Amino acid sequence: MNILMTLDSNYIKPLKVMLKSLFLNNQEESFAIYVMHSSLDTQELEDLRQFIDNHGSQLNVIYVDDDCFEDAPTLLHYTKAMYYRLLAFKFLPQELDRILYLDPDILVINSIRELYNTDIEGYLYAASYHDKIALKEVNKVRLNVYDIDAYYNSGVLLMNLPLQRQLIDEKVIYDFVDKNRSKLIMPDQDVINVLYSKQIKSLDEKLYNYDVRFYSYYKIMNGGVCDMDYIFENTVILHFCGKKKPWNKQYSGKFHSLYKQYEKFALNDRMKSALLGTR
């Protein structure tokens, strides 16, 4: 299975935690991990490569130079890196037909095979939208000039690469960003929704992009069915959306202890590698 992620040095530790959860709960699978970056150094990449090799998978590094996006407009604190997942098809090997993009603030707690094998013929992406009234209304008002049925979260994206190579025009993306600078809060996610939401296949958020902030909401809206037992039996991806992240000491969310457990597993791997390196 092909897995894509984009990151800088600040997200290496969370990335390892996410990967550890992926590897532990998909032990029968092997993965080709693609990392797009513009700033990781040799030591960081080697450490990441060893971590992935130790789990029977392969790291593929894609370095992206700023010159690749010389015509791309940027927004305040959003750099050219915001285009990486939008235009990943340009940099990935041409023989790849699909890849699953995952944010690093994720835990994978069950098999991803069914998600990865989702039929996406005729769609650019498969993704989930968070069906919470407040979120829908805010985004509807903010982007009201565009015809959007649902506002999809871009943290989990199954990509149809051949169709993207045919239909996605980077100039259209650049023009949209340039025209809407004042409206874009989450630029890459806004772009995907405004330009391509009609070509996104909807996935069940409770299974494939569970927003951990809304445990009570999910449970109430599903008549109590979506409780902890349901989540651990059925949910594939837990997503720690928002500014508060579980690797920060002040975090106190519902799934914090679970995250810390996977963090411990990932950290133990690093300690073992360090000990082996001294022998």
Side-chain angles (χ1 to χ4, degrees):
M1 297 186 193
N2 305 310
I3 307 294
L4 173 65
M5 52 216 60
T6 65
L7 74 156
D8 59 25
S9 298
N10 295 320
Y11 281 89
I12 289 179
K13 183 178 176 182
L15 174 63
K16 285 185 175 181
V17 177
M18 185 272 281
L19 287 174
K20 187 66 178 180
S21 71
L22 173 70
F23 296 146
L24 281 176
N25 293 302
N26 292 269
Q27 294 188 35
E28 71 282 8
E29 311 289 359
S30 62
F31 298 96
I33 307 294
Y34 289 84
V35 170
M36 292 183 68
H37 80 98
S38 59
S39 61
L40 299 180
D41 64 34
T42 302
Q43 184 175 348
E44 289 169 333
L45 290 170
E46 184 54 37
D47 177 58
L48 196 54
R49 187 183 305 279
Q50 185 175 352
F51 181 86
I52 291 169
D53 285 350
N54 288 343
H55 291 87
S57 292
Q58 176 186 351
L59 174 65
N60 301 277
V61 178
I62 300 176
Y63 174 74
V64 182
D65 192 282
D66 271 351
D67 290 345
C68 296
F69 297 104
E70 59 183 351
D71 298 324
T74 55
L75 301 165
L76 299 175
H77 59 289
Y78 288 98
T79 67
K80 293 178 181 179
M82 69 182 175
Y83 295 101
Y84 289 2
R85 85 186 77 179
L86 297 172
L87 299 172
F89 63 88
K90 287 183 56 178
F91 302 92
L92 291 164
Q94 288 295 304
E95 64 270 18
L96 296 189
D97 63 348
R98 71 172 55 204
I99 198 165
L100 178 63
Y101 171 85
L102 297 174
D103 271 350
D105 58 347
I106 275 173
L107 288 179
V108 180
I109 62 172
N110 277 302
S111 169
I112 67 163
R113 176 154 288 280
E114 188 170 343
L115 167 60
Y116 189 83
N117 288 336
T118 298
D119 182 4
I120 50 175
E121 185 176 357
Y123 294 94
L124 293 171
Y125 305 96
S128 301
Y129 62 90
H130 293 141
D131 193 20
K132 198 167 187 290
I133 294 173
L135 292 176
K136 288 195 295 185
E137 290 306 311
V138 166
N139 288 310
K140 185 176 180 180
V141 170
R142 185 169 60 85
L143 300 168
N144 65 347
V145 296
Y146 298 99
D147 183 16
I148 301 174
D149 293 331
Y151 187 82
Y152 291 93
N153 182 278
S154 62
V156 179
L157 290 172
L158 183 62
M159 300 181 173
N160 182 338
L161 296 175
L163 194 60
Q164 289 184 14
R165 293 180 188 115
Q166 291 178 36
L167 300 182
I168 294 180
D169 183 343
E170 62 187 285
K171 187 178 184 306
V172 172
I173 293 174
Y174 296 164
D175 289 346
F176 170 78
V177 172
D178 198 38
K179 180 181 177 182
N180 293 278
R181 290 174 181 271
S182 63
K183 295 181 180 179
L184 304 184
I185 296 176
M186 295 166 286
D188 54 339
Q189 191 163 278
D190 287 347
V191 169
I192 286 174
N193 278 279
V194 169
L195 297 181
Y196 309 117
S197 64
K198 302 293 187 183
Q199 294 164 290
I200 299 177
K201 184 169 188 174
S202 292
L203 301 172
D204 188 338
E205 63 173 315
K206 299 186 302 300
L207 299 181
Y208 300 124
N209 199 333
Y210 183 104
D211 189 331
V212 300
R213 298 172 296 181
F214 303 136
Y215 172 78
S216 297
Y217 175 82
Y218 288 131
K219 190 174 179 181
I220 291 170
M221 294 303 291
N222 289 273
V225 172
C226 195
D227 57 10
M228 282 294 177
D229 288 333
Y230 176 91
I231 293 166
F232 281 94
E233 182 66 27
N234 298 284
T235 297
V236 177
I237 291 174
L238 297 176
H239 194 177
F240 293 84
C241 300
K243 294 181 179 180
K244 297 179 180 179
K245 298 302 182 185
W247 53 84
N248 295 328
K249 288 187 178 296
Q250 66 270 27
Y251 187 83
S252 58
K254 195 81 175 179
F255 294 88
H256 193 206
S257 58
L258 178 64
Y259 188 88
K260 298 303 287 187
Q261 186 66 60
Y262 281 105
E263 187 179 71
K264 181 179 179 181
F265 293 152
L267 181 62
N268 284 344
D269 279 357
R270 186 176 66 181
M271 292 174 63
K272 288 175 184 176
S273 295
L275 288 171
L276 289 172
T278 62
R279 293 179 182 176

